[in-house]
Amino acid sequence: MAGQPDRPRHLGQPSAIPASPSEAELDRVANPHPDADYVARFTAPEFTTLCPITAQPDFAHLVIDYVPAQWLVESKVAQALSQ
């Protein structure tokens, strides 16, 4: 996220789903409380993917916790653009 603009690029507008993980971008916003330690949490209670070996669906409850410093990761969910 180095060199990222001060304003989020995806917040408040439709965003295309990236073609690959290497093309994905995360927006960040300033931490309003950088002097306090607290946990930021992302959850995906219905995470589904295909097993690369069996091609069968795998299901999970995904939880990501982190303690932000200067920045918070923006949590907007990407939406596919209409073609």
Side-chain angles (χ1 to χ4, degrees), residues 41-49 58-65:
R41 173 173 281 180
F42 292 101
T43 61
E46 297 180 13
F47 180 79
T48 306
T49 186
D58 286 333
F59 305 94
H61 180 118
L62 186 64
V63 178
I64 300 172
D65 288 339

Side-chain angles (χ1 to χ4, degrees), residues 5 7-17 25 27 74-82:
R7 302 182 116 194
R9 293 174 34 159
H10 302 284
L11 186 62
Q13 59 189 357
S15 298
I17 295 174
E25 295 179 357
D27 278 341
E74 175 53 52
S75 60
K76 177 186 178 189
V77 176
Q79 300 171 201
L81 294 173
S82 304

Side-chain angles (χ1 to χ4, degrees), residues 27-60:
D27 278 341
R28 66 183 186 185
V29 293
N31 182 356
H33 304 287
D35 54 333
D37 286 339
Y38 62 94
V39 174
R41 173 173 281 180
F42 292 101
T43 61
E46 297 180 13
F47 180 79
T48 306
T49 186
L50 292 178
C51 175
I53 297 171
T54 66
Q56 296 295 311
D58 286 333
F59 305 94

